[in-house]
Amino acid sequence: MLELFVSLNLWDSFYGLLSAMMQPLYWAVSGLVVLFYRLFAPIFGADSGVTWTVAIVMLTVVIRTLLIPLFVKQINSARNMQLMQPKVAELQKKYGHDRERLGQETMKMYKEEGVNPMASCLPLLLQMPIFLSLFRVLQGVADNTPRGAFFKDNPDLVKSLQNSELFGAGLADRIFPIESFGATQILGILLVVAMVGVFFVTQLQLMRKNMPPESQTGQAAQMQKMMLYFFPVVYAMSATFIPIGVLVYWLTSNVWTMVQQAILIRNNPAPNTPAYIDWEERMKAKGLDPDEVVRKKAEKRRKTKPVNTSRVVGKQADGAAEAADEAPKVTRQQVNRQTVRTTEDGRRVVQRQQPRQQPRSTRKKK
C-alpha cells in the first residue's frame, strides 16, 4: 500500500511539473490562434468555422516558417546519411562480429564526415510539444476546461470555437467516439486519408528522386521502406482520436513539408541521383555550366567558419611536425568537396574527392 502511495505521489509530482512546463506553450498557441482569429473575423465572420480554420492554418505557417533552417538541416542530414550507407555496409562487413568496435568506428566516420545522425530528428522533436499543446488547447475547448490564458480570459471565444463548424463538422469534435455517423466523421476520414497520402508522397519523393542507387540496398534501406508503409498506419490510427482542428494543423504541416522538400530537392539535389541529373539538364538548358555552378556554390560554402579536422589537405612532410602546424585549416565543405567526371557512356557522375591522410608520426606528434 505504501509503495502504491509513493508511486502515485511521484506520478502526481511528475504530472504537475509537466503541466507547469506546458503552460507557456498553451499561452503561445492560444495567443497565436486568437490573434489570427481576430484578424480574419471581419472577413469571414466571428462565428464562422472558416475563421477558426484559417487561424489554425496561419498558426502552422508561422511555426513552420520558424523551423525552416532546422528543416534544411534535417533534409541534408538525411541525404548525407543515405550517401554514407555504402561505407556503413563496409564497416558492418569488417566489424560485424564486434558490436562495440562497429559502433565506435561508425561514430568516428560520422564525425569525420561532419554528419549528425540526430539532426534529422530535431525538427520533429521541436514540433511535438507544439502539436501536443494545440491538441490540449482544443481538447480543453471541447471539454469546456479551457487551457491557455487567451481562452481562459475570453469565455466567448471558447463558446465560438465550440460551435464553429467546417462543412458541418465541429472543429473541436473527433471521429471517435461515434454517437452518430455524420459530417464530423466524413471530414475527419477525408483529412486522415489526405494526411497519409501527403506523407506517403513526401517519403517516396525523397527515396526515388534524391537518393543514389547504391543507397537503395542494404538493411537501412529496407527499414526505411518498411517505415514508408508502417507510419501511415500509425498516422491513421492515432488521428481518429484527435480533434478536427488538430487534423487541419497536421495536414497543413504535411503539405508544407512536401512542398518545402520538393523545392530543396529541385535546387540542391544530392549527387548521382535522378534529381541531380534533372538539375544538370536545367542548367544546360539555361546555358550554364553545371561544373561552374557547383564550383561557385562551393566557394560560398568555403566562407563558413573553419572546422578542425584530422585530415589536412595540402602539402605534407612525412615525419615532420611542422607540416601539421603549417597546414592550412579547411572547412568541412572543402574536405568533402566534390568532383565531376564523365563515364564512358557519357553520363556525368559526381564523386567525392578524398584528401590525403596524415602520416602516423605526424598525427602522434600533433
Side-chain angles (χ1 to χ4, degrees):
M1 190 68 179
L2 180 60
E3 294 178 356
L4 179 61
F5 174 77
V6 172
S7 62
L8 289 176
N9 191 24
L10 291 176
W11 168 251
D12 291 341
S13 300
F14 174 76
Y15 183 80
L17 178 62
L18 182 62
S19 178
M21 293 173 61
M22 294 294 291
Q23 292 303 319
L25 285 176
Y26 294 156
W27 179 87
V29 168
S30 62
L32 285 174
V33 171
V34 171
L35 171 63
F36 289 119
Y37 165 80
R38 296 192 185 280
L39 289 176
F40 291 100
I43 301 175
F44 301 108
D47 295 327
S48 172
V50 177
T51 304
W52 287 107
T53 302
V54 174
I56 294 173
V57 171
M58 292 304 299
L59 168 70
T60 314
V61 171
V62 170
I63 293 172
R64 293 309 304 268
T65 301
L66 295 176
L67 293 177
I68 285 178
L70 292 178
F71 178 82
V72 173
K73 290 183 179 180
Q74 175 190 11
I75 294 297
N76 290 334
S77 177
R79 182 180 67 181
N80 293 335
M81 290 289 292
Q82 287 295 328
L83 293 175
M84 292 177 61
Q85 287 308 309
K87 295 183 179 180
V88 174
E90 292 179 2
L91 290 178
Q92 290 175 346
K93 292 180 180 179
K94 187 175 181 179
Y95 303 107
H97 60 282
D98 188 349
R99 289 293 179 183
E100 183 177 358
R101 180 68 182 279
L102 176 62
Q104 293 175 353
E105 293 295 329
T106 303
M107 295 307 298
K108 179 181 178 182
M109 180 182 64
Y110 286 155
K111 185 176 180 180
E112 290 177 352
E113 296 290 339
V115 176
N116 183 5
M118 295 301 297
S120 59
C121 303
L122 188 58
L124 180 62
L125 294 177
L126 289 178
Q127 287 186 75
M128 286 304 296
I130 300 171
F131 178 86
L132 180 61
S133 300
L134 181 61
F135 169 76
R136 297 288 288 172
V137 166
L138 291 183
Q139 183 187 44
V141 171
D143 299 338
N144 205 24
T145 56
R147 296 179 177 88
F150 291 89
F151 282 108
K152 288 182 178 179
D153 299 338
N154 297 278
D156 55 327
L157 294 179
V158 175
K159 186 177 180 180
S160 175
L161 184 53
Q162 284 177 340
N163 299 328
S164 63
E165 294 182 347
L166 181 65
F167 303 116
L171 291 177
D173 296 337
R174 309 174 182 85
I175 299 177
F176 288 102
I178 301 178
E179 297 180 357
S180 61
F181 193 86
T184 299
Q185 283 69 35
I186 295 174
L187 180 60
I189 292 173
L190 291 176
L191 289 174
V192 171
V193 171
M195 283 186 346
V196 172
V198 171
F199 175 82
F200 191 85
V201 171
T202 303
Q203 293 300 111
L204 212 61
Q205 179 188 60
L206 180 63
M207 294 174 61
R208 291 187 177 179
K209 295 287 291 182
N210 206 41
M211 296 296 179
E214 59 270 16
S215 67
Q216 301 298 325
T217 58
Q219 185 177 1
Q222 294 300 323
M223 289 294 296
Q224 188 168 9
K225 291 179 181 178
M226 291 176 59
M227 291 168 58
L228 180 63
Y229 297 97
F230 173 73
F231 269 101
V233 177
V234 177
Y235 249 154
M237 293 178 60
S238 59
T240 55
F241 300 95
I242 293 176
I244 299 297
V246 181
L247 294 183
V248 172
Y249 169 87
W250 205 346
L251 175 60
T252 307
S253 182
N254 283 5
V255 172
W256 180 286
T257 300
M258 181 180 66
V259 175
Q260 195 174 37
Q261 178 177 275
I263 295 173
L264 186 62
I265 291 175
R266 177 180 173 84
N267 297 325
N268 188 26
N272 301 333
T273 61
Y276 189 86
I277 295 175
D278 295 340
W279 176 81
E280 273 192 324
E281 293 177 353
R282 290 196 303 271
M283 293 299 103
K284 292 178 180 178
K286 294 179 180 179
L288 300 176
D289 183 7
D291 299 347
E292 184 66 18
V293 175
V294 171
R295 188 188 66 80
K296 288 182 178 180
K297 288 183 178 180
E299 288 292 336
K300 289 183 178 181
R301 289 195 294 265
R302 287 195 186 100
K303 296 179 181 180
T304 59
K305 184 179 179 179
V307 297
N308 294 326
T309 176
S310 59
R311 296 180 179 182
V312 179
V313 180
K315 297 181 180 180
Q316 296 181 351
D318 294 345
E322 291 80 4
D325 298 332
E326 296 176 359
K329 293 183 178 180
V330 295
T331 63
R332 182 177 291 113
Q333 288 79 9
Q334 289 174 298
V335 174
N336 294 332
R337 67 185 183 275
Q338 300 167 343
T339 58
V340 182
R341 68 179 180 86
T342 305
T343 59
E344 295 180 356
D345 56 357
R347 294 182 59 192
R348 303 177 66 82
V349 180
V350 178
Q351 291 181 326
R352 287 188 176 183
Q353 180 179 348
Q354 298 294 339
R356 291 179 299 172
Q357 191 173 5
Q358 287 181 319
R360 184 177 180 182
S361 58
T362 302
R363 294 198 305 270
K364 289 179 63 178
K365 290 183 179 181
K366 184 178 179 181

